[in-house]
Amino acid sequence: MVLRHHIEGYENFFKFMKNFKPNESVYVLYSGKKLPNGKSWCPDCVEAEPFIEEGFKTASESAHLVEVEVGDRPFWKDLNCPFRTNSTTKLRVLPTLAKWNTQKRLEGDQCQKIDLIEMLLTDEDD
Amino acid sequence: MKSRESKEKKSWYFNCCKKPQTMDSDLSDQENYTKSLEKLVTEQENIEADQKFMYDLLVIGGGSGGLAAAKEAVNLGAKVAVLDFVTPSPRGTTWGLGGTCVNVGCIPKKLMHQAALLGEAIHESAAYGWQVPDPNIIKNDWQALTTAVQNHIKSVNWVTRVELRTKKIEYFNALGYFKDQHTICGKMKNGEEKVFTAKNILIAVGGRPRYPDIPGALEYGISSDDIFSLEKAPGKTLVIGAGYIGLECAGFLNSLGYDATVMVRSIVLRGFDQQMANTIAQEMERRGVHFIYQAKPSKIEKQADGRLLVHWVDKERQTHQDIFDTVLFAIGRKPLTEELKPENIGLQLIPETAKIDAIDEQTNVPNVYAVGDVLHKKPELTPVAIHAGRLLARRLFGNSTEQMDYVNVATTVFSPLEYGCVGLSEEAAIAIHGEDKIEIYHAYYKPTEFFIPQKDVSNCYIKVIAFRNGDQRVLGMHFIGPNAGEVIQGFAAAIKCNLTFPKLKDTVGIHPTVAEEFTRISVTKRSGLDPKPQSCCS
């Protein structure tokens, strides 16, 4: 089972990502902040959840999955949201599932396709 | 002898695995009758025979042409696989799925050209009131540039992977070669071989840069395969070859601040209009690119300090030498057809070039097709490969009869001052139609935005070649100036619609643009009048 981490907010996220060494397999799931009911405000993120759970079952034991709650709806909808403008995260869509330190990412309903998640986990080219 | 394919224009489903075509078509009626009975039976068998192939279409080469054909084929219901494999360049560079254009061609080239244009714009901006600290201390960071370019490429590689997976096109990172006309062996990275069978096979393997057979070339030289991901800034660079790739590389390197020299064996931009080609070279020289004409490299040696000592021979057989940090070969490209083991299926290649002389993209082996840079005497351009691949897939799987038109394809050389053209060069027009039959219109012009920063306009030049009589149909259009590709694309559509010179003259321009200069052109070469503009504008 993959090693899971949970982070909230932009500054916390970047501070946390410094913990990883460049050769580690780190995957990041960007989704909307959770509401009091425990579900994200972003319906697509909620819908993707079970597929991501399923897809990561086969992930290597040494792989990390960092689940980051980017923020509430107004924070995300602001086109100057730092997760959008930062040249590393450059988010356009929630949810986004990305392999850290690569250009590989699945956006929106691509996160609901098990075979694409598998490809993200197994693809060796960078 | 037109299409080999038209004989078998029925449903694609029935004509896989057809019997080998023989030359003895003079059959008696009785034989014909038996043959047609046999044919009915064979067609029935073929339905079952189809099941024995793993794929309806197997594409060798995941570049522009191959991927376009693969996507179109799956959209039409075919079962498709793509094999792609990048053999490392002599210096060890490799890349991902997508072919030359995306990885080591058009895309990185255009991005580096853009970097060069932006550098130029920084200097001009001061004249437009921007308070730039000191333009002369502004430097380009090679690592930052290549990282940005490579990241873009890698994201395209990935998006392509996702697209193939989503469309259910099977992708294998394997180097394919023919076992028989329906069987391909794919050699994987780990050396293992995988066997694929397909009813139709598309060769879309493209080409790779050639190296000259001189000491040191392979050891110390690089090519366009390497330049866009070079770890260290290239420094003083010798570009050997003056085709469009050589000129573009030398152009952006010079603009990025590196000393760049082009070594020309005979002429600049072979195959292009030579007046335009020489104008481009002149403009590059004016901007600081050095040119060594009529010279051939003879040896490259690595010095103790790591720099490269290049020896060359001029037309008087005098030898010269100079020291460079980087030597880039751009002397031409060779198709990767020998690697396919063409002898295993009797696939015919043009002996001198190893290219494939396909008729309507069909090779001499009926179920084996080819698109892109492997084709003999066809433009080596990404959009050409894409269009041909897409139309081929429609003919194979969509009952289409539409053929690729390779004539009047526009193109652009992204030299510092760009050159776009469509149709015939002046030389070709004269050779085909005769000097008396054609009229050459030409003009120098001054882009509005060049005045304030006092940019040199001496090489902003356009030319239109048309029939002299009759409908005065336009045969060729040539443009040197900013945004040449954007300018020439629309005129290419007009030429496709049989643009005539009177229609061009009857078109109202958009002011102030550089493209409108084509609507203002009136001076003929024959008249001997001065093609330089009389006043600043209008």
Side-chain angles (χ1 to χ4, degrees):
Chain A
M1 194 52 197
V2 62
L3 299 157
R4 298 179 81 132
H5 311 272
H6 189 265
I7 289 294
E8 280 182 52
Y10 182 76
E11 279 85 15
N12 286 341
F13 171 68
F14 272 95
K15 207 192 285 170
F16 185 76
M17 294 313 282
K18 288 194 184 126
N19 295 328
F20 296 108
K21 296 178 193 76
N23 58 351
E24 284 184 287
S25 275
V26 183
Y27 299 88
V28 183
L29 174 63
Y30 303 89
S31 44
K33 188 177 163 66
K34 288 191 169 67
L35 299 167
N37 68 7
K39 298 272 181 203
S40 166
W41 61 261
C42 146
D44 292 347
C45 300
V46 177
E47 254 183 83
E49 248 174 67
F51 295 96
I52 290 167
E53 290 300 326
E54 183 63 30
F56 270 85
K57 275 184 184 163
T58 56
S60 125
E61 301 241 332
S62 59
H64 297 267
L65 173 61
V66 180
E67 292 168 81
V68 50
E69 294 183 34
V70 302
D72 59 15
R73 195 169 184 280
F75 177 78
W76 167 250
K77 288 289 170 187
D78 179 358
L79 292 181
N80 292 317
C81 172
F83 278 107
R84 293 179 187 266
T85 56
N86 181 286
S87 65
T88 303
T89 54
K90 48 183 174 195
L91 290 193
R92 292 174 298 190
V93 184
L94 288 184
T96 290
L97 177 63
K99 187 172 184 189
W100 191 244
N101 282 330
T102 75
Q103 301 300 313
K104 297 173 191 174
R105 53 177 59 205
L106 299 174
E107 297 178 323
D109 59 6
Q110 292 176 344
C111 298
Q112 296 179 32
K113 300 219 165 78
I114 295 284
D115 59 337
L116 292 183
I117 297 171
E118 250 166 50
M119 189 166 94
L120 183 74
L121 289 170
T122 53
D123 192 77
E124 278 167 10
D125 315 336
D126 53 40
Chain B
M1 108 155 215
K2 186 77 187 84
S3 164
R4 293 184 189 115
E5 183 194 51
S6 52
K7 288 177 222 152
E8 296 286 331
K9 197 47 56 66
K10 292 175 298 300
S11 160
W12 61 270
Y13 200 71
F14 289 110
N15 50 13
C16 82
C17 230
K18 59 179 177 255
K19 297 189 135 187
Q21 285 175 333
T22 49
M23 299 302 287
D24 53 334
S25 52
D26 286 2
L27 300 170
S28 72
D29 282 344
Q30 177 56 43
E31 275 173 317
N32 270 335
Y33 178 71
T34 324
K35 283 273 169 195
S36 57
L37 262 185
E38 264 177 27
K39 199 163 186 206
L40 267 177
V41 177
T42 323
E43 283 182 358
Q44 286 303 312
E45 281 171 355
N46 280 347
I47 300 174
E48 278 150 42
D50 275 358
Q51 317 296 326
K52 78 178 188 194
F53 296 122
M54 295 158 70
Y55 303 101
D56 299 314
L57 175 68
L58 186 121
V59 179
I60 313 176
S64 309
L67 291 175
K71 288 179 209 169
E72 192 71 12
V74 284
N75 286 347
L76 293 165
K79 189 159 190 275
V80 182
V82 173
L83 267 55
D84 188 65
F85 192 90
V86 179
T87 306
S89 75
R91 97 145 13 208
T93 310
T94 62
W95 49 88
L97 178 63
T100 301
C101 172
V102 165
N103 293 285
V104 289
C106 338
I107 300 299
K109 168 273 292 294
K110 182 80 190 286
L111 296 174
M112 293 233 170
H113 175 62
Q114 174 67 6
L117 292 181
L118 287 170
E120 210 182 307
I122 290 170
H123 291 85
E124 286 165 36
S125 67
Y128 279 99
W130 288 100
Q131 299 181 354
V132 185
D134 173 7
N136 296 317
I137 60 161
I138 292 172
K139 296 271 174 284
N140 186 269
D141 177 341
W142 178 259
Q143 267 86 13
L145 173 60
T146 48
T147 303
V149 169
Q150 290 303 316
N151 280 347
H152 175 71
I153 292 169
K154 283 171 187 167
S155 89
V156 176
N157 296 149
W158 171 253
V159 168
T160 309
R161 296 285 313 275
V162 170
E163 197 184 1
L164 293 191
R165 188 62 74 98
T166 309
K167 286 183 180 288
K168 309 253 184 284
I169 297 169
E170 291 186 48
Y171 158 69
F172 299 92
N173 186 206
L175 188 63
Y177 67 87
F178 284 100
K179 197 133 193 137
D180 63 49
Q181 74 176 89
H182 290 287
T183 312
I184 294 292
C185 263
K187 204 168 175 187
M188 323 284 258
K189 220 188 249 170
N190 59 13
E192 270 176 45
E193 291 207 347
K194 212 171 148 66
V195 174
F196 305 87
T197 59
K199 189 163 45 180
N200 300 291
I201 293 170
L202 175 60
I203 299 169
V205 293
R208 294 289 289 273
R210 287 199 293 115
Y211 280 69
D213 187 17
I214 59 164
L218 286 169
E219 293 92 324
Y220 309 124
I222 66 162
S223 73
S224 53
D225 281 357
D226 311 295
I227 186 73
F228 304 111
S229 59
L230 211 60
E231 324 76 54
K232 268 175 57 191
K236 182 181 172 188
T237 302
L238 174 64
V239 175
I240 297 171
Y244 81 93
I245 298 171
L247 294 194
E248 288 176 342
C249 289
F252 70 68
L253 288 175
N254 176 65
S255 304
L256 291 171
Y258 305 103
D259 185 288
T261 303
V262 179
M263 187 175 286
V264 190
R265 188 186 56 183
S266 55
I267 60 167
V268 167
L269 288 177
R270 183 183 307 281
F272 288 88
D273 186 292
Q274 282 301 294
Q275 185 198 5
M276 304 309 277
N278 292 327
T279 306
I280 283 299
Q282 215 173 84
E283 171 66 16
M284 287 177 66
E285 212 156 351
R286 197 191 60 71
R287 288 167 180 249
V289 177
H290 315 289
F291 281 80
I292 303 171
Y293 284 98
Q294 305 220 297
K296 270 172 80 173
S298 53
K299 187 165 55 170
I300 306 174
E301 294 171 304
K302 194 164 199 162
Q303 303 191 130
D305 63 0
R307 303 187 81 195
L308 302 172
L309 179 64
V310 181
H311 304 254
W312 70 88
V313 185
D314 68 17
K315 62 174 173 185
E316 266 92 44
R317 307 218 170 168
Q318 297 281 326
T319 53
H320 305 261
Q321 58 184 53
D322 196 359
I323 295 161
F324 297 91
D325 298 300
T326 300
V327 177
L328 187 150
F329 290 106
I331 60 169
R333 298 175 62 84
K334 67 169 171 47
L336 296 172
T337 47
E338 306 283 6
E339 289 81 346
L340 293 168
K341 303 200 179 174
E343 64 280 6
N344 288 352
I345 60 163
L347 175 69
Q348 285 164 14
L349 304 179
I350 303 288
E352 300 77 33
T353 59
K355 287 198 168 189
I356 298 169
D357 190 9
I359 297 172
D360 297 332
E361 293 77 45
Q362 188 177 34
T363 71
N364 67 300
V365 184
N367 72 309
V368 177
Y369 300 85
V371 295
D373 292 0
V374 293
L375 291 182
H376 176 60
K377 290 204 165 155
K378 299 289 191 293
E380 293 183 23
L381 296 168
T382 266
V384 169
I386 292 172
H387 206 69
R390 198 173 283 153
L391 293 181
L392 172 66
R394 285 182 199 159
R395 294 197 304 275
L396 288 175
F397 305 112
N399 292 319
S400 159
T401 54
E402 197 186 339
Q403 296 292 357
M404 174 69 189
D405 179 8
Y406 287 93
V407 177
N408 288 333
V409 175
T411 189
T412 290
V413 179
F414 290 95
S415 40
L417 194 62
E418 300 165 10
Y419 165 40
C421 61
V422 56
L424 297 181
S425 66
E426 188 174 335
E427 297 87 341
I430 290 171
I432 296 168
H433 302 292
E435 205 159 3
D436 298 347
K437 296 278 189 315
I438 59 166
E439 197 74 86
I440 315 249
Y441 301 86
H442 65 158
Y444 285 92
Y445 67 98
K446 298 175 177 175
T448 310
E449 60 274 23
F450 278 35
F451 282 91
I452 286 177
Q454 295 173 281
K455 281 178 74 166
D456 190 288
V457 295
S458 55
N459 293 310
C460 292
Y461 178 71
I462 60 170
K463 188 154 90 174
V464 174
I465 300 157
F467 275 125
R468 196 176 173 191
N469 301 309
D471 64 356
Q472 299 174 50
R473 189 154 54 81
V474 174
L475 300 168
M477 294 179 79
H478 302 262
F479 176 96
I480 292 177
N483 306 305
E486 316 295 343
V487 169
I488 216 74
Q489 180 71 87
F491 287 109
I495 284 188
K496 208 116 176 100
C497 304
N498 299 317
L499 176 67
T500 62
F501 190 72
K503 282 280 179 211
L504 178 64
K505 290 294 294 173
D506 198 30
T507 304
V508 178
I510 304 169
H511 194 63
T513 65
V514 287
E516 71 171 324
E517 299 297 338
F518 272 127
T519 67
R520 292 156 38 96
I521 199 164
S522 61
V523 175
T524 64
K525 279 198 173 176
R526 186 172 272 113
S527 73
L529 293 172
D530 184 11
K532 292 239 158 45
Q534 299 306 308
S535 60
C536 80
C537 45
S538 65

